Amino acid sequence: MTTRRTEYPTGEDAAGRPSDGFLVPGGVVGAGRYRLLAQFGVDQRANAQLWRAQDGQLRRDVALTLLVGDPADEQAANSARRTLERATHAAQLTHPGKARVLDVLGVGNGVDDAEGLLGIVVADWSQGTDIIDLITEHPLPPATAARLLEPLAAAVELAHHTGLVLGVDHPQRIRVTPEGALLLAFPGPLAEATLQDDVHGLGAVLYLLLTGRWPLPGGPEGVPRAPVGHDGLLVPPSALFHYIPHELSVAAVRSLTDDAVSGIRTSAGLIRVLERVKVADDETQRIQAVEAADDYEDDGTVWTTRRPSNDRAKRRKLAIGVTALAVATVGVLAWVGIQLISFFGDDAPGAGGPTVVATAPGSGQNNNPAPPQPGQPIKAAGVQVYNIKGTPDNPRRANRAVDDDQKTSWRTDTYQRPFPALKPGVGIMASFAEPVPFAEVIIDSPSDGTVVEIRTAPSEKPGFSETKLIGRATLQAGQTKLQLDTAEPTEHLLIWITTLAEGNVSELTEIGFVRAR
């Protein structure tokens, strides 16, 4: 399963025409106050777009939930108004499992009529990663999923005590903090959402973490739907992955049902299950730690009043002392033997015979590596996304471009318009352990038509004017070799994309580097 940040349709203006230039990176909303940086999702149920933006007045990043629609559409306007009211009430709630709501804007109150928006919910930007990116490669271990979900479930429980609905029933509204907890990053519950919908959302998030599949309607594109059995019922997570504890699997399914008898009706009920799973995992870890410890040494004593832990400590100290004495004895004997050989040997130094020095393999003596040869491939010590404007494109996946695996790749974001409309380009900065003269760069890519420049750089994060162009090529689908103009050694090499492939997205499967001399 692959995910990527995508530019979504931009809605329509009051005349039914597509809104022009607002909902794209670099556009501004909120009467010109918020500049859009990158889109992180879309909730089709509410026609809401989720963006990272910069507050032009306070110069800080914020999370925007943009309610797209025509103010003349009375039903849509009423629904948006209810969502904004709920977001305003939720602003009173403070909890680590929920981003702080900074402002709520409506048409005529911070939102211009011409923007094609019905309202904006402004929240603190939450550092971390997308929950979908977290499970892209594989689902999470059950105990990890329980630990991640518990803070979000606690936020829901606190909100429900005050009668508030949070709206945690869409995965792209949720992010994973650097501390390893789930957080509602894009507040703005649906107009018709209930307290039970929050519980359903927690169960759906748990199901997603355990299986990589989304069980509720209206999920994001690219995330597989949860399977349903012949009886029409949701397939439990433990039926997909047998290592998932039965209790946790049942809790995920029961949180998603409306059955008043068998369903989990409150977040508190789910939290109790999560806590039991965590405790069971902690006990398992302690048992494994005990089993991994040194076996207890049986000295034949049937019963004693002495504490075993003290006896064991004494035995360990005695063993260390005996070992040290043995090492010292061997050292003394070796020294005496060397002196005797020096004194009596015919080939001793100074007796006219040659001195022979034996070098053990790996000892470091006379074991100098062969000098590097021209045409030899060289591995990068590290890579990162190099970006001049806006947010980096898939920075967590940059290393996939140099992992020697043709099944993985790094790709740019998908842009609404080609370069340089939104930014001049984007690239991969490769760093090496020492300055290297390069002869060529080899790029494997399926993105035919991508234009790439190769540039030397004085550091990992230089100004673009500090880089120097040494090669340029238009990639063909497959492998492209770029011959470089100079063999001047450099420690940093920038692979800079100036033109994207068809669809305004490019993908690099593997980048190889060849030494000049």
Side-chain angles (χ1 to χ4, degrees), residues 38 44 72 79 114 171 189 230 240 307:
Q44 296 175 346
S79 179
H230 296 297
L240 301 175
R307 297 178 62 184

Side-chain angles (χ1 to χ4, degrees), residues 257-313:
T257 181
D258 290 320
D259 192 312
V261 177
S262 63
I264 293 179
R265 307 293 296 171
T266 66
S267 54
L270 180 59
I271 289 174
R272 286 192 291 271
V273 176
L274 299 178
E275 289 176 344
R276 286 197 292 270
V277 171
K278 287 170 49 185
V279 169
D281 181 68
D282 290 341
E283 291 178 350
T284 300
Q285 295 295 332
R286 284 195 292 271
I287 291 172
Q288 290 174 347
V290 169
E291 291 176 347
D294 294 336
D295 293 334
Y296 181 79
E297 298 176 9
D298 185 6
D299 58 1
T301 303
V302 177
W303 179 86
T304 178
T305 58
R306 293 177 299 172
R307 297 178 62 184
S309 59
N310 290 341
D311 290 344
R312 185 176 183 181

Side-chain angles (χ1 to χ4, degrees), residues 67 80-88 104-106 118-121:
L67 304 179
R81 192 176 302 113
R82 176 59 176 154
T83 292
L84 297 176
E85 289 174 356
R86 289 186 149 191
T88 301
V104 178
L105 310 175
L118 300 174
I120 303 176
V121 180

Side-chain angles (χ1 to χ4, degrees), residues 195-406:
L195 300 179
Q196 191 61 36
D197 288 328
D198 273 346
V199 178
H200 290 342
L202 292 174
V205 172
L206 178 58
Y207 197 103
L208 176 69
L209 295 176
L210 294 174
T211 68
R213 296 162 172 83
W214 183 250
L216 291 178
E221 296 180 2
V223 178
R225 289 277 297 156
V228 176
H230 296 297
D231 54 2
L233 299 178
L234 189 67
V235 175
S238 59
L240 301 175
F241 301 98
H242 298 302
Y243 59 80
I244 296 175
H246 177 72
E247 184 180 25
L248 194 62
S249 176
V250 169
V253 174
R254 289 178 58 198
S255 298
L256 289 162
T257 181
D258 290 320
D259 192 312
V261 177
S262 63
I264 293 179
R265 307 293 296 171
T266 66
S267 54
L270 180 59
I271 289 174
R272 286 192 291 271
V273 176
L274 299 178
E275 289 176 344
R276 286 197 292 270
V277 171
K278 287 170 49 185
V279 169
D281 181 68
D282 290 341
E283 291 178 350
T284 300
Q285 295 295 332
R286 284 195 292 271
I287 291 172
Q288 290 174 347
V290 169
E291 291 176 347
D294 294 336
D295 293 334
Y296 181 79
E297 298 176 9
D298 185 6
D299 58 1
T301 303
V302 177
W303 179 86
T304 178
T305 58
R306 293 177 299 172
R307 297 178 62 184
S309 59
N310 290 341
D311 290 344
R312 185 176 183 181
K314 290 179 180 179
R315 285 196 300 273
R316 180 164 296 185
K317 291 179 181 178
L318 179 59
I320 293 173
V322 171
T323 301
L325 180 60
V327 171
T329 302
V330 171
V332 170
L333 292 175
W335 180 82
V336 170
I338 291 172
Q339 297 304 315
L340 290 173
I341 292 171
S342 276
F343 187 80
F344 293 106
D346 292 336
D347 293 334
T355 301
V356 179
V357 179
T359 304
S363 66
Q365 297 184 20
N366 296 334
N367 197 29
N368 295 327
Q373 299 297 318
Q376 196 174 55
I378 181 170
K379 291 288 293 182
V383 294
Q384 60 182 321
V385 175
Y386 179 82
N387 200 58
I388 296 178
K389 183 179 179 182
T391 56
D393 298 24
N394 293 314
R396 295 176 62 245
R397 300 180 181 179
N399 65 325
R400 296 185 179 184
V402 293
D403 61 358
D404 294 326
D405 187 349
Q406 293 290 333

Side-chain angles (χ1 to χ4, degrees), residues 119-132:
I120 303 176
V121 180
V122 185
D124 277 331
W125 174 249
S126 304
Q127 298 295 336
T129 187
D130 294 343
I131 186 175
I132 295 176

